[in-house]
Amino acid sequence: MTHPKPALINIPSEPIGSIPRPPDLIQKLAQVDSEDPALATLYEDAVRDTIERFEATGSLVVTDGEQRKYHNFLTYCVHGLPNTSADGFKIPFSDGHTRRMLRLTGGPFRYLRYADSYLDLAMRYAHVPVKQAVISPSALSLMYPAEGIPDYPREQFIEDLLREHETEIQRCLQKGAHKVQIDFTEARLAVKIDPSGRLLDSFIDLNNLALSRFSPEERKRIGVHTCPGGDLHATHSAEVDYADLLPRLFELKAGNFYVALACEQDRRRVLKIIRKYLKPRQRIFVGVIAPIYPRIETAEEVRDRVLEASEYIPIEQLGTTDDCGFAPFSDDTSTSRDTAFAKIRARVLGTALAGNLIGGDHHDTG
Ligand SMILES: [Zn+2]
């Protein structure tokens, strides 16, 4: 008697975005302005190499590794804006280091570049769908100073901010981005800064104002990423309980959520919270890889994490991802490119192993 081939279940797997930049690019960025024409070849080589290596992992969705996002995932769109200063909102990390936002010193607020400009180059080299990450309106709202700006009221700033964000996503969707992921790393940080939850509420409301501008069809291609922040092997808000974040997070009008999970102390507890608050038509990509830990996960470890998640999340709403980008800030050399791609390969393989097992189980039980 021959055994019928088990029904395969394809569990989608996507990266978050950033990959460590090649050393020659990092070195050059330390010497010249990020827009210097001398960087063009280095940027192009970095993007081409990143996409080649991404595709070699078997990943069915790739990014450009954010090689051209300078200086980071937060402020790439406003870097170089003349009406800003460097002394903005401070993000404290667990190891004592800090990163700073830009501060807006006058109106009007405009983006200097939209992320679809990165997509152009990436899609020239990619043979598989390309995903694009963009920064959330709530993160950029931190640029507006608490004391206000004369002749440029906060209401006007918010209106300009929402229009710029909408334009950026619209352009990425039109160019054929597989998904547009809104980086919302400040969500968990907001609960740490304001345990009453009011700051988080205001962030959710602002981001929903933006998401409301898209059709239900478009929102299927829009996702939101949450994590405790990852920079130089440290985090900014890992101590915040997901129970204080996820119920509100899933109120966002997005079709996809990319939730850091691999680093959590008690993954099953988090999965129970997800099961309770998850809404129909939302897909949850759970983090199965920890970019801030140097150890490379095995495919079997990833497989078991996916099987664990599948006990709580309906299979048609489950996906896998990395907990965070591998280098959200362009000068971060704490992880090598080799390590990043080895971890991504484990995610892709492990997710496929789990899909085969679940598909096989499904067949056996009819
Ligand atoms: Zn992240």
Side-chain angles (χ1 to χ4, degrees):
M1 211 177 130
T2 56
H3 289 278
K5 216 175 169 192
L8 293 180
I9 298 228
N10 269 325
I11 301 169
S13 191
E14 296 180 12
I16 290 298
S18 63
I19 296 289
R21 280 63 161 178
D24 55 345
L25 176 59
I26 293 177
Q27 206 179 355
K28 194 77 180 169
L29 281 170
Q31 295 160 358
V32 301
D33 180 84
S34 61
E35 298 290 301
D36 194 296
L39 287 166
T41 317
L42 285 173
Y43 277 139
E44 187 149 353
D45 287 350
V47 170
R48 192 185 54 233
D49 185 65
T50 299
I51 288 176
E52 261 176 38
R53 298 192 64 180
F54 238 125
E55 291 185 347
T57 66
S59 192
L60 295 176
V61 178
V62 301
T63 71
D64 71 348
E66 305 187 353
Q67 305 295 288
R68 291 161 71 210
K69 271 192 182 171
Y70 186 85
H71 165 266
N72 56 63
F73 73 105
L74 270 173
T75 54
Y76 65 89
C77 52
V78 290
H79 179 81
L81 205 65
N83 48 334
T84 58
S85 65
D87 57 345
F89 182 82
K90 215 184 268 181
I91 308 168
F93 283 84
S94 50
D95 62 351
H97 87 275
T98 58
R99 294 285 196 175
R100 278 198 105 138
M101 296 273 307
L102 296 173
R103 179 173 62 90
L104 196 68
T105 55
F109 176 82
R110 297 281 184 270
Y111 280 15
L112 272 182
R113 61 193 70 76
Y114 300 103
D116 68 291
S117 59
Y118 306 131
L119 208 50
D120 285 331
L121 185 61
M123 290 179 78
R124 212 181 299 157
Y125 291 115
H127 305 87
V128 296
V130 182
K131 168 181 179 174
Q132 182 61 54
V134 301
I135 192 57
S136 66
S138 52
L140 292 176
S141 74
L142 295 168
M143 287 177 67
Y144 192 86
E147 64 276 16
I149 294 175
D151 305 325
Y152 191 56
R154 190 178 162 83
E155 295 70 35
Q156 182 62 47
F157 164 72
I158 293 295
E159 197 176 302
D160 289 341
L161 169 61
L162 289 173
R163 189 198 54 248
E164 291 291 71
H165 173 74
E166 180 190 4
T167 302
E168 182 174 52
I169 292 189
Q170 213 49 271
R171 289 169 68 135
C172 292
L173 289 174
Q174 276 162 20
K175 283 190 180 164
H178 176 67
K179 294 273 179 57
V180 180
Q181 171 191 285
I182 301 166
D183 285 335
F184 190 25
T185 177
E186 71 284 6
R188 205 162 168 177
L189 184 62
V191 182
K192 181 175 166 178
I193 295 170
D194 177 9
S196 79
R198 277 193 294 270
L199 183 61
L200 175 65
D201 285 349
S202 73
F203 283 177
I204 298 275
D205 291 347
L206 177 62
N207 292 339
N208 260 341
L209 277 179
L211 286 162
S212 302
R213 299 180 174 198
F214 296 92
S215 70
E217 214 41 49
E218 287 167 331
R219 279 183 231 145
K220 283 184 193 164
R221 287 169 63 202
I222 298 176
V224 175
H225 168 50
T226 184
C227 70
D231 182 37
L232 306 172
H233 292 322
T235 57
H236 57 52
S237 54
E239 68 272 42
V240 169
D241 190 339
Y242 261 144
D244 297 327
L245 170 63
L246 294 180
R248 289 298 330 261
L249 187 82
F250 296 144
E251 287 172 21
L252 285 171
K253 296 171 188 166
N256 307 278
F257 291 84
Y258 303 87
V259 180
L261 184 63
C263 285
E264 288 300 308
Q265 303 275 3
D266 187 349
R267 288 195 303 271
R268 286 187 182 271
R269 181 170 172 273
V270 177
L271 286 164
K272 278 179 200 159
I273 300 168
I274 294 176
R275 178 171 64 190
K276 184 165 176 195
Y277 292 97
L278 167 69
K279 293 183 168 55
R281 287 181 294 281
Q282 289 179 338
R283 190 184 285 275
I284 312 295
F285 292 79
V286 296
V288 292
I289 293 289
I292 61 166
Y293 298 150
R295 191 182 65 80
I296 295 159
E297 293 83 353
T298 66
E300 289 71 26
E301 244 174 292
V302 170
R303 174 200 64 198
D304 293 346
R305 286 176 185 179
V306 182
L307 293 176
E308 178 185 74
S310 74
E311 292 175 38
Y312 300 89
I313 302 173
I315 197 74
E316 63 279 5
Q317 287 179 272
L318 179 62
T320 67
T321 186
D322 309 312
D323 267 14
C324 195
F326 288 89
F329 294 82
S330 66
D331 59 0
D332 184 355
T333 55
S334 61
T335 304
S336 72
R337 284 166 75 79
D338 287 348
T339 299
F341 286 115
K343 281 173 168 269
I344 289 168
R345 181 183 292 275
R347 167 169 56 75
V348 171
L349 279 174
T351 303
L353 287 176
N356 286 353
L357 274 179
I358 294 168
D361 284 346
H362 179 78
H363 183 91
D364 287 342
T365 56

